[in-house]
Amino acid sequence: MTTAAFLCLFVLAVAGYLWNRQAASAIRANGTRLHSLEGFHGFYALLTVLVPALVLILLWQVLQGPVIDALLKGGISERLDGLGTGEVQLIVAEIKSISRGAVFGTPEQWKFDAAERYVTLNMRSDTLLLVVVLVLSLALVVFSRRKVAAEFRARHGVERIVSGLMIFCSVVAIFATVGIIASLMFETGKFFAKVPVTEFLFGTNWEPQIPLREDQVAAEGAFGWLPVMLGTLVITVIALLVAVPVGLMTAIYLNEFAPKKFRAVAKPFLEILAGVPTVVYGFFAILVVAPAMRNFAAAIGVDVSPNIALAAGSVMGIMLIPFISSFADDALSAVPQSLRDGALGLGATRAEMMLNVLFPAAIPGIVGGVLLAVSRAIGETMIVVMAAGLIAKMTINPLDSVTTVTVQIVTLLIGDTSFDNPKTLAAFALGMMLFIVTLVINVFALRIVRKYREAYD
Amino acid sequence: MTDLSAQDAPFAGSSGSALVRRRNRKQVIVQGLGLAAISFAALMLFILIASLVSTGYKAFTQTHITVEVFVDPDEVSVEKLPRGGFREVLLASLQKEFPEVTERAELRSLQNIFSNGAQFALRDMVAADHSLVGQTVTLTVPVSDPFDQLAKDLVKRETPEAQRRVNDREIGWFDALDAAGKISQPVNWGLITNADSRFPELAGLKGALVGSFWALLVCFLISFPLGIGAAIYLEEFAPKNRWSDLIEVNINNLAAVPSVVFGLLALAVFIGWFGMPRSAPIVGGMTLALMTMPTIIIATRAALKAVPPSIREAALGVGASKHQVVFGHVLPLAMPGILTGTIIGLAQALGETAPLLLIGMNAFITSAPSSPFDSATALPTQIFIWADSPERGFVSRTSAAILVLLTFLITMNAVAIYLRSKFERKW
C-alpha cells in the first residue's frame, strides 16, 4: 500500500512537472516573455507536490505503529486491566503474530478477534494514507498549475524550496547531536533516580548483576564507575605506549629521511592499516597476540590472566599507529621551509634539525593528534569487547584482566533491553560519561590543532 | 642504510673528531629508529594478514562425502513427505561400507560423519522429485566439523586419542572412505550461499552479506543526499554567523563521537521511542548514516572548495543565478571528489560493528533477510558472533569471513582511488 502511495505520488509529481512546463511553453509560444524558464515552472510543480506529500508519508509511517497499537489496546482494555507492561507487551506481540498467521498453541477467541481488528486497522490506515496522498498531491498539482503565468517567478520559488531543503539537511547534523544528548540524558536521569549520583561517580565497586526476579539469589548490584574508568585508562595508556613512539618515529622518518619511492610505498600501506575494521583487530588480538603473550609469560614463569590487558592495549596501539603518524606527518609538513633551511644552513645535521627545530615547532599539532588518539582509544569498542575482561577491578597491573567503559556498555545491553532496570540504564550512564569525556578531549584537541595551523599560515 | 649515512654525513671525510663522529652516529640512530618503527608497523600488518590467511584459507574448501543412498520405501514413503526416516536411510548407506558395525553407540558415531544438514539435503531432493523413492541416489554432502578438521589436518593424528575430537576408530572409518575415493574437498560455495548455522560445516555468510547490503543501501540513501545538501549549504550559501559556526563545530564533533554512542542513540531513539524493529538492517542503516554523514559532508566541502572561483565567476557573469551556478557548474565538477569521499565513508560504515551490536544485529538468524525490515546480521557482526563461538570449526570460518570483508573494503577503496585518478581534474 505504501508503495502504491509512493508510486501515485511520483506519477502525479512528474505529471505536474510536464503540465506546468507545457503550460509555460504555450505562454511563450504566444510571444509573451516569461520571467522564468519553462523548466523552472515544471520544477516548481514537482517540488510543491513532492515535498509536502513525502513529509506526510514519512510522518504517517512513524506515527502509524503507535497509534494502531493504542487503538488495539483500547479495544481490549477490559482484558488488559491490571496487567503489568511486560504482560501487555507479550499479549500485543501474540496478537500481532496471530495476525501474520503464525498461531502457537490455542489462543483464546478474543485474541483472534483482536488480531482481525488489527489487520482491519492496518488496512484502513493504508487505504486512508493512499487517499490522503492522492487528494493532497492532486490539489497541489492544480495549485501549482494555476500559478503559471508570464510574470510568475518560478525560479525564485524553486530556489527558495531548494534552499529550505539544504538548510534542513544541515540541521539534521544538529538533530543527531541533540538526539544523542537527549537520549543519554533521559535514560541517565532514570538511572540516577534508582542509583545515587555519588555512588556512581565515586563508588569503587562495579557489579551490575542485579536479580532479574524477586526470588533470585544474586549480588545486590553495585554501580561505582571508578574501576571501569581505571581499566579504560590502563588500556589507553598501554595503547599510547605502543602507538606514540612508533607513530612519531614513522612520521619523522617518512617526513624527512625516507627516499621518495619508499614514501610512495609506505603511505598507502599505513592507510591499509588504518582501514582495517576494529572487529578484525579484535579477532587478531584473541587469535594471535593474547595466546603469544600467555605462552611467553608461561615460558618465563609469570602468572597472567587469560584476558590480559596488555594484549588488548597493544593491539589497540597498533590500530592507532597510522592515526598518530598521519597527524604528526601533517604537523611536521606544516612547519615552514625557512626553519628547515635555517637549521641546515647553520650546519645542523638532518637529525639535529629534525629533533631540535622541526619537532619542537610541530609539538602543538602532534599533541592535538595524540589527544585525538586518546579519545579514539577511550571510545574504541570492538577490540576490548573481544579481548579485554568483563570484571571490574581496581588495578593498574597490565598483566591482569581489566574491563572498560565500552565493554560494559556492550555487555549490559546485548540481549536485554527493558528500559526500566538499573542494569540497562547503567549502560546509558556510562555512555553519557564516555560522550562527555571524549567530547571534552576532542574539542580541546581540535582547538590546539587549528590554533597551531593558523600560527604559520 | 650505509649509502644514506655516507651521503648525509657532511664532515665524514674532512675530520675524524669525536664530536663529528658523535653527531653522525646520532643521525644514524634516528634514521635507524624510524626504519625500525616502520618495520614494526609493517611486521604487524604482515602477521595480521598472514595469520588470517593461514587460518582462513582452509574454510574456502569443505570436505564432502559421496554416498550411494538407497531411498528405502520402508523408511521414506511418498505419502508422508516431507517427513521420513532420512537419517536412517543415510546411515544404511554407510553401513553398507562397514558391515561389521552393529552396536547402537557405534552406529551413532558412524552417523556423525554426516553433517547434520545431510538429511535435509536428501529430504529436499526427494521432496522435489517423488520418483526418487525406491531408487538409489548419489549424494554428495558435507561431512561434520570434526571430520572436516581431520581432513584438513587441523586435528592432528599424533595427539593422544583422549585429547582428540575423533577417536582412532572414527579415523579408521574416515581413512577407509577416503581410500575408496568417497571423500572430496571441493570449493566451499556454502560459505557464500548458506545463511548462519550452529554447525560450522553448514554456516555461511549469505544472511550477513544480504544484511550488510540492505544496511549499506539505507545508509547511502539517507547519508548521500543529506550530506551533499548540508555541504552545499554550508560551503556555498550559509551566511557566516553564529548558526553556521554552530553547525560546523557540530559536524566536526559528530565525526569524532565514539561509534558505540551512536548505538546507544539508535537503541534509545529508533527502537525505544519510535518502536522500530530490533535487529533490522533499516535501523542499522539509519545509525550508520548518522556516522557516515559527517565524512560525506567533509569530503563534499573539500571537493566544492577545489573548484576554482573562475568557473563560478564565469557562470555568474553570463547571468546565471547563484543556484544555477552551484547546481549546473560547481556540483558536476566536484562530483568525482564527492563520490570518492562517499565510497570511503561507506567502506568505513561496512566495517563498523559496535553500534550494530547494540541494536541487536548480532542475533542468530538462519535465513537471509528479504527486506530491510527483517531481522538480520551484518558482515562485521557475523564475524563477531563466529569469533565468540566455541566450536573449533568457526575459527577458520571467522578468518575466511574477515578475508571476505577485507576484499569488499579493498575493492571499494580501489574503486574510490580509480575514480579519483580518472576523473579528478587538476586546475
Side-chain angles (χ1 to χ4, degrees):
Chain A
M1 251 345 187
T2 319
T3 333
F6 269 115
L7 216 65
C8 283
L9 174 62
F10 282 116
V11 168
L12 279 174
V14 171
Y17 171 84
L18 294 172
W19 199 19
N20 261 22
R21 202 190 146 118
Q22 196 250 329
S25 319
I27 296 177
R28 191 176 180 164
N30 284 342
T32 324
R33 240 182 93 88
L34 284 173
H35 169 273
S36 306
L37 294 172
E38 302 95 317
F40 282 111
H41 286 273
F43 274 120
Y44 182 75
L46 189 81
L47 289 173
T48 15
V49 175
L50 271 188
V51 175
L54 278 180
V55 171
L56 179 81
I57 294 182
L58 283 182
L59 278 182
W60 198 290
Q61 291 299 323
V62 171
L63 295 178
Q64 186 184 23
V67 169
I68 289 186
D69 277 7
L71 286 175
L72 182 70
K73 283 182 208 161
I76 50 173
S77 57
E78 69 277 9
R79 304 264 182 190
L80 302 179
D81 275 343
L83 296 178
T85 39
E87 292 168 77
V88 172
Q89 271 177 13
L90 267 181
I91 291 179
V92 170
E94 190 185 353
I95 291 173
K96 283 183 186 170
S97 76
I98 293 175
S99 74
R100 281 193 298 268
V103 182
F104 301 101
T106 46
E108 296 92 327
Q109 184 56 38
W110 62 269
K111 283 183 183 165
F112 279 109
D113 297 341
E116 207 144 294
R117 237 170 75 76
Y118 180 72
V119 174
T120 335
L121 280 173
N122 261 324
M123 266 179 41
R124 264 193 222 150
S125 157
D126 285 346
T127 327
L128 195 62
L129 173 65
L130 187 63
V131 172
V132 170
V133 165
L134 217 64
V135 170
L136 178 72
S137 23
L138 266 177
L140 287 169
V141 166
V142 173
F143 166 80
S144 49
R145 169 65 186 83
R146 296 183 57 164
K147 286 252 184 176
V148 178
E151 67 277 13
F152 174 55
R153 304 180 168 222
R155 180 169 63 76
H156 294 201
V158 169
E159 289 178 356
R160 222 173 296 132
I161 298 175
V162 171
S163 294
L165 288 177
M166 289 193 303
I167 292 176
F168 167 76
C169 292
S170 19
V171 174
V172 168
I174 292 198
F175 281 152
T177 312
V178 170
I180 289 175
I181 294 172
S183 59
L184 290 179
M185 293 243 287
F186 186 70
E187 309 290 346
T188 310
K190 285 205 278 184
F191 174 69
F192 286 141
K194 291 173 196 273
V195 177
V197 183
T198 44
E199 190 202 320
F200 178 72
L201 285 181
F202 305 112
T204 54
N205 208 357
W206 177 266
E207 277 162 16
Q209 278 68 37
I210 50 148
L212 291 174
R213 293 189 312 271
E214 298 291 321
D215 54 336
Q216 219 167 15
V217 183
E220 223 344 75
F223 295 97
W225 85 309
L226 285 180
V228 184
M229 193 60 214
L230 192 65
T232 310
L233 286 182
V234 169
I235 296 220
T236 306
V237 168
I238 299 171
L240 290 181
L241 285 180
V242 174
V244 170
V246 177
L248 286 188
M249 287 316 294
T250 305
I252 286 177
Y253 185 77
L254 286 182
N255 194 272
E256 185 58 37
F257 302 106
K260 230 182 189 157
K261 271 188 192 154
F262 185 83
R263 203 180 140 91
V265 177
K267 276 245 150 188
F269 126 81
L270 280 173
E271 275 169 30
I272 296 180
L273 211 53
V276 174
T278 52
V279 68
V280 179
Y281 280 115
F283 186 63
F284 179 57
I286 52 176
L287 181 73
V288 178
V289 179
M293 282 181 177
R294 278 201 300 271
N295 291 342
F296 181 71
I300 59 169
V302 182
D303 192 30
V304 298
S305 143
N307 290 320
I308 174 173
L310 204 55
S314 50
V315 170
M316 195 186 281
I318 296 171
M319 180 198 86
L320 291 175
I321 291 172
F323 194 75
I324 289 189
S325 84
S326 88
F327 260 97
D329 197 11
D330 286 350
L332 288 172
S333 304
V335 178
Q337 187 64 30
S338 56
L339 287 187
R340 292 166 194 258
D341 296 345
L344 290 177
L346 286 174
T349 64
R350 278 162 70 190
E352 284 165 344
M353 181 265 291
M354 175 50 84
L355 294 183
N356 300 340
V357 179
L358 280 196
F359 195 71
I363 276 283
I366 291 173
V367 169
V370 171
L371 277 180
L372 284 178
V374 170
S375 116
R376 277 276 293 258
I378 293 176
E380 169 47 43
T381 312
M382 288 324 291
I383 296 176
V384 281
V385 165
M386 295 170 86
L390 290 176
I391 296 160
K393 286 183 220 160
M394 285 297 268
T395 176
I396 53 166
N397 177 7
L399 300 179
D400 209 337
S401 131
V402 298
T403 191
T404 74
V405 174
T406 48
V407 172
Q408 289 304 318
I409 293 177
V410 170
T411 41
L412 288 178
L413 285 179
I414 278 189
D416 181 11
T417 46
S418 58
F419 285 98
D420 44 7
N421 73 50
K423 191 180 148 205
T424 21
L425 293 174
F428 284 91
L430 284 179
M432 186 83 192
M433 301 309 284
L434 180 66
F435 182 70
I436 293 173
V437 170
T438 50
L439 185 71
V440 169
I441 298 178
N442 288 342
V443 169
F444 194 58
L446 285 176
R447 180 160 293 176
I448 292 180
V449 171
R450 191 171 308 163
K451 209 169 186 176
Y452 168 68
R453 267 194 206 134
E454 280 160 9
Y456 282 121
D457 279 348
Chain B
M1 272 309 300
T2 41
D3 60 333
L4 263 182
S5 51
Q7 162 206 329
D8 289 328
F11 313 116
S14 59
S15 144
S17 81
L19 177 67
V20 170
R21 251 181 286 134
R22 207 166 59 233
R23 291 176 64 192
N24 286 340
R25 199 161 57 230
K26 201 168 151 198
Q27 163 103 359
V28 172
I29 289 172
V30 169
Q31 287 197 16
L33 282 178
L35 264 182
I38 294 185
S39 320
F40 174 75
L43 181 71
M44 285 302 141
L45 184 65
F46 175 74
I47 294 178
L48 174 68
I49 303 288
S51 62
L52 289 176
V53 171
S54 67
T55 54
Y57 82 95
K58 287 189 167 157
F60 287 108
T61 61
Q62 168 68 45
T63 316
H64 279 65
I65 178 168
T66 308
V67 278
E68 305 280 322
V69 186
F70 173 60
V71 186
D72 192 346
D74 294 344
E75 295 282 0
V76 180
S77 64
V78 177
E79 297 83 56
K80 283 195 193 150
L81 282 173
R83 287 172 199 207
F86 294 103
R87 265 177 81 91
E88 289 72 15
V89 169
L90 279 173
L91 181 56
S93 70
L94 266 192
Q95 241 178 321
K96 265 188 305 189
E97 310 283 333
F98 306 104
E100 73 280 6
V101 182
T102 47
E103 211 185 318
R104 267 183 88 87
E106 296 211 316
L107 279 176
R108 199 172 311 131
S109 53
L110 186 60
Q111 171 92 56
N112 281 346
I113 292 182
F114 287 117
S115 150
N116 196 50
Q119 44 177 324
F120 302 117
L122 180 62
R123 180 194 69 189
D124 293 345
M125 228 166 119
V126 176
D129 182 4
H130 289 188
S131 67
L132 290 178
V133 176
Q135 306 225 357
T136 300
V137 209
T138 310
L139 194 66
T140 302
V141 287
V143 301
S144 64
D145 186 45
F147 293 95
D148 186 40
Q149 307 255 339
L150 179 71
K152 287 170 180 168
D153 212 22
L154 289 167
V155 170
K156 299 274 181 243
R157 286 155 200 262
E158 305 87 66
T159 33
E161 190 174 1
Q163 293 167 26
R164 237 188 283 128
R165 287 177 64 208
V166 283
N167 59 31
D168 289 341
R169 203 186 158 94
E170 290 167 331
I171 292 185
W173 292 333
F174 187 79
D175 288 343
L177 287 170
D178 202 6
K182 295 192 178 293
I183 300 292
S184 57
Q185 224 178 70
V187 175
N188 183 12
W189 292 112
L191 189 67
I192 308 289
T193 56
N194 289 354
D196 197 9
S197 166
R198 250 175 243 296
F199 304 98
E201 71 274 9
L202 298 176
L205 288 170
K206 187 178 175 199
L209 288 170
V210 177
S212 265
F213 168 77
W214 284 122
L216 270 197
L217 184 71
V218 171
C219 169
F220 172 77
L221 289 180
I222 296 176
S223 62
F224 188 67
L226 282 183
I228 291 190
I232 294 177
Y233 179 72
L234 291 175
E235 191 62 40
E236 304 281 339
F237 294 99
K240 288 272 162 271
N241 59 20
R242 207 179 286 167
W243 268 103
S244 52
D245 275 357
L246 179 70
I247 295 178
E248 192 157 349
V249 170
N250 210 318
I251 288 167
N252 285 337
N253 280 326
L254 211 52
V257 169
S259 60
V260 69
V261 173
F262 283 95
L264 288 173
L265 164 82
L267 183 61
V269 176
F270 297 151
I271 295 179
W273 297 354
F274 291 172
M276 298 181 85
R278 268 177 78 78
S279 313
I282 177 127
V283 181
M286 286 165 68
T287 316
L288 294 176
L290 287 181
M291 304 177 57
T292 314
M293 212 175 75
T295 315
I296 295 184
I297 292 179
I298 292 166
T300 306
R301 293 190 65 172
L304 290 173
K305 226 177 252 167
V307 177
S310 57
I311 303 271
R312 284 166 239 256
E313 283 153 14
L316 285 171
V318 294
S321 74
K322 181 94 203 199
H323 275 78
Q324 284 170 320
V325 172
V326 171
F327 288 99
H329 302 274
V330 179
L331 191 58
L333 289 172
M335 222 37 181
I338 297 175
L339 287 180
T340 312
T342 306
I343 294 173
I344 288 172
L346 287 178
Q348 279 171 10
L350 179 62
E352 200 57 67
T353 324
L356 301 183
L357 286 186
L358 291 195
I359 60 162
M361 284 188 79
N362 57 338
F364 174 71
I365 294 151
T366 51
S367 61
S370 52
S371 82
F373 298 92
D374 294 346
S375 293
T377 57
L379 259 184
T381 48
Q382 190 70 60
I383 290 169
F384 176 68
I385 300 170
W386 285 358
D388 253 12
S389 301
E391 286 91 351
R392 286 284 306 155
F394 276 119
V395 173
S396 61
R397 302 241 157 196
T398 311
S399 295
I402 288 177
L403 292 177
V404 171
L405 175 65
L406 290 181
T407 313
F408 274 108
L409 291 182
I410 290 174
T411 314
M412 286 169 86
N413 280 304
V415 169
I417 291 169
Y418 172 78
L419 275 180
R420 185 161 55 193
S421 62
K422 174 101 182 168
F423 294 106
E424 197 163 57
R425 289 171 65 173
K426 288 268 173 279
W427 306 92

